Amino acid sequence: MAHASIYFGICFSLFSFLFAPLAWAQTGAARKIPIKIIYSALTASNAPVWVAGDQGLYDKYGLDVQIVHGRGASPIQALAGGTVELGHFAGASVIAANLAGSDLVFVAAQSNYVVLSMWTKKDSPIKSLTDLAGKNIGVSAPGSATHTIARISLRKAGIAEKDVKFIHHGALPDIFVSLDKGLVDVGIASAPRPGLREVVDLATQKIPFLQGAIIVNRSYLQRERPVVLNFVKAFVEGMKVVREKPDVVVASLVKHLRITPEIARVAYRSFINVWEEVPYVRAESVQAILEFVPKEQVKDVTPERYIDHSLIKELDTSGFIKSLYRK
């Protein structure tokens, strides 16, 4: 009997030795990799990121993604400093951070065109861009997306920057506090803005500008490329959903922005024509930002310096993206 006990003990030990690694591997395979992505503006531009989370796409690709909101300069600072792994915002702040010494790259585009509007009070006499001469324009931080897009719009309308005054704010909601108080005549932001009148919907003009992108530290991309690739897979699939399923997007916007479905549908209409199917970052959308940076700072800089197409190219050439749209 003692010999039998010893025999079964040896067998059990051998079984544990042989199959424990398999059990560990199965457990490890099920463990999702935790990462954080940060965004700045509370707008519909974040729909692809939110929808990917709401639809379980991050889980599908083995990720435990925490979506973080930051105000003002904190998102770019968190990303550049490595507090978070990924960022989702417009390109202007990324270029400014890189010129200050960071090494951030755009790996996927949400939109390569302007998706903002100019807003004013309903009783304002301002009817078009040409009425902005001599007016105060509410934008966020200097060099931000709202500031740069306002400058692009003025140039398009033939208005010199010296003929307007930019009033800078820490965050988008602050712009509309100033508008309500009469401190600015118009404010720049994406739809929706209930209670205000839209002076111009810049999304209809197809103005090149990297309005939204997935951004990562170059060193993190090199070190954790498979993780970033899996995130981009979820993002690309999320882009498919936002392009094809308005009701899903509206539900997500209602949830995250705490707005009514009617207002969410208005916001959706502003973005549907510019959300990318194959989300390469276009060189011209980055160049549009560089043109508003002092020339001495960017004399040797090309858009390609800040773009890494390798992930999207891999998903494109492998047939991954086409397979999504065949479903």
Side-chain angles (χ1 to χ4, degrees):
M1 191 73 176
H3 290 294
S5 298
I6 293 171
Y7 172 81
F8 284 117
I10 293 172
C11 289
F12 179 80
S13 298
L14 183 61
F15 179 90
S16 300
F17 176 79
L18 291 174
F19 291 99
L22 177 60
W24 180 89
Q26 290 172 338
T27 303
R31 188 181 72 85
K32 295 179 177 60
I33 297 172
I35 58 171
K36 294 185 285 293
I37 181 167
I38 194 166
Y39 68 94
S40 53
L42 273 169
T43 72
S45 64
N46 300 299
V49 173
W50 288 331
V51 165
D54 294 341
Q55 297 295 303
L57 299 180
Y58 300 130
D59 292 343
K60 175 179 177 180
Y61 294 104
L63 302 176
D64 177 13
V65 176
Q66 181 182 355
I67 303 172
V68 183
H69 175 228
R71 289 170 59 90
S74 62
I76 194 71
Q77 292 169 350
L79 180 61
T83 305
V84 299
E85 290 81 9
L86 298 161
H88 179 251
F89 27 81
S93 58
V94 175
I95 288 175
N98 280 352
L99 293 173
S102 298
D103 195 14
L104 304 173
V105 290
F106 304 114
V107 296
Q110 172 250 110
S111 169
N112 283 290
Y113 298 97
V114 171
V115 195
L116 291 177
S117 296
M118 287 194 177
W119 304 88
T120 191
K121 290 183 176 180
K122 288 187 175 181
D123 59 354
S124 170
I126 296 172
K127 304 298 181 185
S128 68
L129 287 173
T130 56
D131 296 328
L132 294 180
K135 300 298 191 291
N136 293 337
I137 301 176
V139 296
S140 43
S144 64
T146 56
H147 183 207
T148 305
I149 288 170
R151 297 172 72 192
I152 292 172
S153 303
L154 290 173
R155 178 183 290 184
K156 190 175 179 68
I159 299 174
E161 288 187 40
K162 64 180 178 60
D163 293 332
V164 302
K165 184 177 181 180
F166 292 112
I167 308 297
H168 297 285
H169 299 77
L172 285 181
D174 301 334
I175 295 173
F176 296 98
V177 172
S178 292
L179 185 59
D180 185 58
K181 293 180 177 179
L183 302 176
V184 299
D185 299 291
V186 296
I188 313 292
S190 60
R193 297 293 155 184
L196 297 176
R197 177 165 54 79
E198 190 175 51
V199 177
V200 58
D201 177 3
L202 299 171
T204 62
Q205 302 186 23
K206 283 282 186 174
I207 302 170
F209 183 85
L210 189 56
Q211 179 72 51
I214 301 299
I215 307 111
V216 63
N217 268 291
R218 198 183 303 269
S219 59
Y220 183 81
L221 175 60
Q222 292 169 347
R223 190 172 67 250
E224 301 288 351
R225 180 183 170 84
V227 175
V228 183
L229 180 63
N230 280 337
F231 180 89
V232 173
K233 285 180 179 178
F235 176 75
V236 169
E237 191 164 343
M239 291 286 281
K240 176 186 184 292
V241 174
V242 300
R243 286 167 53 83
E244 296 182 351
K245 298 182 178 180
D247 290 344
V248 170
V249 185
V250 166
S252 187
L253 294 179
V254 168
K255 172 184 174 183
H256 294 280
L257 293 177
R258 299 179 181 180
I259 55 179
T260 66
E262 291 73 25
I263 293 173
R265 289 188 188 95
V266 172
Y268 179 80
R269 287 196 294 271
S270 297
F271 284 87
I272 184 57
N273 293 323
V274 295
W275 275 323
E276 301 282 350
E277 178 176 323
V278 184
Y280 284 108
V281 177
R282 300 173 191 258
E284 60 267 29
S285 74
V286 178
Q287 182 61 41
I289 301 169
L290 293 174
E291 288 176 2
F292 285 89
V293 178
K295 287 184 170 48
E296 63 273 13
Q297 293 185 37
V298 295
K299 60 181 179 180
D300 298 320
V301 176
T302 63
E304 289 75 16
R305 177 173 172 178
Y306 300 134
I307 301 170
D308 188 314
H309 275 157
S310 63
L311 299 174
I312 294 299
K313 187 174 182 180
E314 180 176 335
L315 298 183
D316 189 11
T317 57
S318 69
F320 174 85
I321 297 176
K322 287 182 180 178
S323 71
L324 291 176
Y325 282 87
R326 282 198 296 264
K327 293 178 181 178

